[in-house]
Amino acid sequence: MHVLIFGATRNTGLETARLLRARGDSVTAVARKNANTEALSAAGAAILEGDALDGPGLKQLLAGKSFDAVVCSLGNTPWTSEKVDHVGVANVVDACKAASVPRVILVSSIGAGDSRPALPLAARVVLGKVCDLKTLGENHLKASGLPFTIIRPGGLGKGPATGRGVLLEDPTISGGINRAEVARLIVQCLDDPKTIGKTYSAIEK
């Protein structure tokens, strides 16, 4: 496969790029100007310079290019706006639609959409706004008409993949999962067309 990844310079996106490259797939990552792409380059990923908050720029970036799938693992960080969870995701979706990308996998979060009750009360207070934005991003993807899979991880940990991660269609479950394990589940979804149209909660058992 040739997979395009947004949010690949760190964490889940980077782990996904490494897994795909390790098994021989082609990976292209979109990264902002001056982003640290050393780890991606070391993994053998190609880099395209782009910004998820620049909608017209993304459409131009993807125009004329062909990818088997797009993985969107965007999330706000101390140096990016919270808007990336909604506006950034929506821009990615719109660019994918314009480029006729055959499928999109979106990494969201438990607490978005109908999984809000799965968050403990304290987490709802802290993460409520972020989850609201992630919900808007999810809804934009669902309304786009693109073949999609949405993965909502629980509390994210560092550590290696464990093989204990599961994808469940039950929006009431909660739990934790390592980012490397989320990456394994993303690749699992890429390999399984039966996951298209599904929204999953991802935890480790």
Side-chain angles (χ1 to χ4, degrees):
M1 286 188 289
H2 188 182
V3 181
L4 178 67
I5 304 179
F6 289 85
T9 58
R10 58 199 292 272
N11 296 332
T12 303
L14 177 57
E15 294 291 346
T16 303
R18 285 170 170 160
L19 281 180
L20 289 169
R21 288 295 302 134
R23 70 179 201 169
D25 291 315
S26 296
V27 173
T28 300
V30 176
R32 290 174 297 109
K33 185 178 182 179
N34 299 324
N36 185 347
T37 59
E38 289 183 9
L40 276 170
S41 296
I47 311 296
L48 288 176
E49 184 182 310
D51 189 333
L53 295 179
D54 177 9
L58 281 192
K59 286 183 179 179
Q60 185 176 6
L61 191 67
L62 268 63
K65 297 180 176 65
S66 178
F67 300 100
D68 297 304
V70 167
V71 174
C72 182
S73 184
L74 293 171
N76 74 81
T77 68
W79 54 88
T80 61
S81 166
E82 287 182 340
K83 291 192 301 183
V84 75
D85 285 309
H86 172 214
V87 177
V89 169
N91 286 341
V92 169
V93 169
D94 292 346
C96 288
K97 187 169 184 177
S100 299
V101 172
R103 74 175 297 190
V104 176
I105 293 182
L106 173 63
V107 182
S108 182
S109 176
I110 286 180
D114 61 356
S115 69
R116 179 63 64 91
L119 278 184
L121 181 58
R124 283 184 229 175
V125 172
V126 174
L127 300 174
K129 182 179 179 181
V130 170
C131 289
D132 288 342
L133 294 170
K134 288 185 180 294
T135 298
L136 293 173
E138 288 186 6
N139 290 344
H140 195 89
L141 175 57
K142 290 177 180 178
S144 70
L146 288 166
F148 72 87
T149 306
I150 295 171
I151 299 175
R152 296 168 171 165
L156 290 166
K158 292 181 176 179
T162 64
R164 299 194 302 270
V166 293
L167 295 171
L168 302 170
E169 292 185 73
D170 179 1
T172 68
I173 63 102
S174 62
I177 186 167
N178 285 350
R179 289 182 174 89
E181 188 64 13
V182 177
R184 187 185 69 80
L185 294 174
I186 290 169
V187 174
Q188 178 180 303
C189 287
L190 286 170
D191 290 340
D192 186 359
K194 294 192 296 294
T195 62
I196 293 174
K198 304 287 189 180
T199 299
Y200 296 107
S201 296
I203 61 168
E204 289 188 27
K205 282 196 166 182

